[in-house]
């Protein structure tokens, strides 16, 4: 009996050993199968990745733009848009140059309208009809301008002979001073310079004569421009509100609300600029004219009028007109009077720049001096004196419009609705 039990015990142990051996064999086979499956998957993934890279290389070869770096692509996108804007601006300037007379006449009419429109509105509020108020204001304004022009011509013609004699005396005095100066200038050198100047004037006489027809053409253009400006001023004074509303209908509906809000603000800026510049120019002309008059400088009144007109070209006009007064004082009255005239000009211009302009013009049309110089230079290059006159108000109006549109575009900014005709001339 004990032998049977021992035999069963040995059988049971061998069975357990066989079972463990089978488990180890199965585990080894499963590990081998898993490794083989992993290797097959890795090879398959590597093949797919290689195929994908091959496809990307093929796409890049077919579409080279995909290989361009992102920064270069952004710069290219901005560059061609800049070129489109530059081409548009160039075409616009060519068109304006082709009809420059019409554009300048309209801009002058716009400036005169900004000056006279408050008077028309005030007369209309006091009971006059719109047409009568426009007629009275326009007639008075044009009469004043005509009288100023006649007064300047009269003063110049009355004092031209005296000025010529004074200039001749000043030249002789300058010649004597050069002969006695430490520069060692001889009389022969002075005579040679005078002879060269005389020869240059003589050789230019034929050119000046041949340009007479061109001068007649310029006079005709000036008269045409003045008439066009007068008619444009009358129509804008009388019917400016309806002209503004008609202009708004030409604007796309999506941008009409912004333009309707920017228009009145631009008009207020233009009106403030024209009225403020007129007051400042009048003060400059009066004080500088009175100063050089008491200094005994001839043509004080015409010089004051020139200073008044030149003050409409900021910075540059004041410097040029002040230099004219100093040169006339130097040639006619001597060095001391010229220094005193320079002192008067500098004093008045300092008072204008630091007190009058900030007080009268205010912050609505405040522009950095560098912007003023660049605007005047650009306007003068493009359209001469007329461009220099209208450059600064154009920059002031553009600054106001851009500031309003930028504020309106900011998220969370409350913008009040503006009626289409509000602030129209």
């Amino acid at each position: 009996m004990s032998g049977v039990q021992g035999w069963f015990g040995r059988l049971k142990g061998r069975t357990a050993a066989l079972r463990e051996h089978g488990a180890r064999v199965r585990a080894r086979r499963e590990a081998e199968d898993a490794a083989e499956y992993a290797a097959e998957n890795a090879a398959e993934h590597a093949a797919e990745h290689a195929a994908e890279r091959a496809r990307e290389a093929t796409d890049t070869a077919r579409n080279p733009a995909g290989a361009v770096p992102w920064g270069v692509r952004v710069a290219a996108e901005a560059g061609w848009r800049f070129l489109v804007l530059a081409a548009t601006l160039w075409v616009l300037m060519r068109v304006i140059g082709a009809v420059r007379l019409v554009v300048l006449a309209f801009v002058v009419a716009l400036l005169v309208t900004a000056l006279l429109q408050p008077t028309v509105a005030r007369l209309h509020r006091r009971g006059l009809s719109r047409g009568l108020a426009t007629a009275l204001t326009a007639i008075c304004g044009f009469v004043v301008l005509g009288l100023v022009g006649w007064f300047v011509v009269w003063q110049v013609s009355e004092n031209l002979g005296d000025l010529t004699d004074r200039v001749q005396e000043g030249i002789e005095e300058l010649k004597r001073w050069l002969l006695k100066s430490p520069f060692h200038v001889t009389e022969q050198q002075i005579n040679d310079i005078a002879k060269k100047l005389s020869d240059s004037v003589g050789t230019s006489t034929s050119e000046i004569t041949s340009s007479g027809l061109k001068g007649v053409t310029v006079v005709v253009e000036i008269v045409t421009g003045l008439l066009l400006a007068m008619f444009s001023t009358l129509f804008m004074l009388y019917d400016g509100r309806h002209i503004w509303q008609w202009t708004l209908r030409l604007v796309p509906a999506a941008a009409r609300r912004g333009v309707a809000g920017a228009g009145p603000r631009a008009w207020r800026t233009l009106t403030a600029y024209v009225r403020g510049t007129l007051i400042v120019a009048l003060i400059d002309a009066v004080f500088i004219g009175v100063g050089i008059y008491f200094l005994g400088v001839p043509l004080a009144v015409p010089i004051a009028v020139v200073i008044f007109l030149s003050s409409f070209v900021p910075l540059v006009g004041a410097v040029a007109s002040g230099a004219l007064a100093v040169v006339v004082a130097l040639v006619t009255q001597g060095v001391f009077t010229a220094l005193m005239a320079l002192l008067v000009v500098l004093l008045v211009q300092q008072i204008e720049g630091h007190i009058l302009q900030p007080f009268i013009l205010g912050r609505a049309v405040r522009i950095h001096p560098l912007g003023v110089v660049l605007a005047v230079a650009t306007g003068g290059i493009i359209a001469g004196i007329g461009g220099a006159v209208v450059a600064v108000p154009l920059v002031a109006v553009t600054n106001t419009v851009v500031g309003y549109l930028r504020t309106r575009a900011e998220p969370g900014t409350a913008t009040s609705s503006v009626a289409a005709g509000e602030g129209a001339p």
Side-chain angles (χ1 to χ4, degrees):
M1 189 68 180
S2 60
V4 174
Q5 292 178 350
W7 182 80
F8 275 110
R10 288 192 296 273
L11 180 61
K12 186 176 180 181
R14 290 178 180 177
T15 304
L18 291 173
R19 190 182 296 114
E20 291 177 359
H21 178 71
R24 288 196 296 271
V25 171
R26 286 194 301 270
R28 186 171 60 251
R29 289 179 178 176
E30 289 177 357
E32 291 175 354
D33 292 341
E36 183 179 358
Y37 179 76
E40 291 177 355
N41 285 341
E44 185 179 353
H45 286 311
E48 291 179 356
H49 185 62
E52 184 178 355
R53 284 190 299 178
R55 284 194 300 270
E56 290 178 354
T58 304
D59 293 339
T60 302
R62 293 176 180 176
N63 184 19
V68 179
W70 175 254
V72 178
R73 297 174 69 177
V74 172
E77 292 285 338
W80 74 258
R81 286 176 171 82
F82 176 78
L83 289 177
V84 170
L85 292 176
T88 303
L89 182 61
W90 183 81
V91 172
L92 181 61
M93 296 307 300
R94 297 281 296 192
V95 173
I96 292 176
V99 292
R100 182 172 59 182
L101 178 63
V102 178
V103 174
L104 287 179
F106 178 76
V107 172
V108 170
L110 200 62
L111 295 176
V112 176
T113 303
L115 177 64
L116 300 181
Q117 190 269 336
T119 304
V120 175
R122 191 176 297 111
L123 293 176
H124 184 58
R125 285 195 300 267
R126 293 188 176 181
L128 293 180
S129 63
R130 186 80 180 182
L132 183 57
T134 301
L136 287 177
T137 305
I139 290 173
C140 292
F142 294 148
V143 166
V144 169
L145 291 177
L147 289 176
V148 169
W150 169 81
F151 183 73
V152 172
V153 173
W154 173 58
Q155 286 290 316
V156 171
S157 61
E158 285 289 324
N159 296 275
L160 187 59
D162 181 54
L163 179 62
T164 303
D165 296 337
R166 296 287 186 89
V167 169
Q168 187 64 34
E169 294 175 2
I171 292 175
E172 293 295 331
E173 183 178 353
L174 179 62
K175 179 180 177 180
R176 290 192 296 270
W177 181 82
L178 287 174
L179 291 175
K180 298 178 181 179
S181 67
F183 298 111
H184 305 290
V185 180
T186 63
E187 187 172 1
Q188 182 62 36
Q189 291 175 334
I190 297 176
N191 293 333
D192 290 341
I193 294 175
K195 185 176 183 303
K196 289 180 180 179
L197 292 176
S198 177
D199 293 341
S200 299
V201 173
T203 55
S204 301
T205 303
S206 59
E207 298 179 2
I208 295 173
T209 305
S210 63
S211 63
L213 182 60
K214 183 179 179 181
V216 173
T217 305
V218 171
V219 171
V220 172
E221 289 182 354
I222 292 175
V223 173
T224 304
L226 289 176
L227 292 176
L228 184 59
M230 290 174 60
F231 281 108
S232 301
T233 302
L234 288 174
F235 281 113
M236 283 191 288
L237 285 174
Y238 178 73
D239 207 20
R241 186 178 298 273
H242 294 91
I243 295 174
W244 170 244
Q245 293 174 350
W246 176 81
T247 305
L248 283 178
R249 287 197 292 269
L250 301 178
V251 179
R256 190 172 300 164
R257 188 180 183 88
V259 175
R265 290 166 174 80
W267 183 252
R268 285 195 293 269
T269 298
L270 182 63
T271 302
Y273 174 83
V274 174
R275 297 175 68 181
T277 303
L278 178 66
I279 295 174
V280 171
L282 184 62
I283 293 175
D284 283 353
V286 169
F287 280 95
I288 294 178
V290 170
I292 62 177
Y293 175 78
F294 282 109
L295 289 174
V297 178
L299 293 177
V301 176
I303 291 176
V305 175
V306 172
I307 292 173
F308 173 78
L309 297 176
S310 301
S311 297
F312 284 92
V313 183
L315 296 180
V316 179
V319 173
S321 58
L324 174 64
V326 174
V327 168
V328 173
L330 175 64
V331 172
T332 58
Q333 300 294 326
V335 178
F336 177 76
T337 305
L339 291 176
M340 296 302 297
L342 178 61
L343 181 63
V344 171
V345 171
L346 292 178
L347 179 62
V348 173
Q349 290 183 355
Q350 289 298 313
I351 295 175
E352 169 207 337
H354 294 87
I355 299 177
L356 295 179
Q357 284 193 358
F359 178 74
I360 296 174
L361 295 179
R363 300 185 60 88
V365 292
R366 183 171 297 177
I367 306 173
H368 195 276
L370 178 60
V372 173
V373 172
L374 294 178
V376 171
T378 305
I381 293 173
I382 294 174
I385 298 178
V389 172
V390 303
V392 176
L394 179 61
V395 171
V397 169
T398 303
N399 183 39
T400 299
V401 171
V402 172
Y404 167 75
L405 294 179
R406 184 176 62 247
T407 304
R408 187 174 182 272
E410 291 178 355
T413 303
T415 55
S416 59
S417 60
V418 182
E422 181 186 350

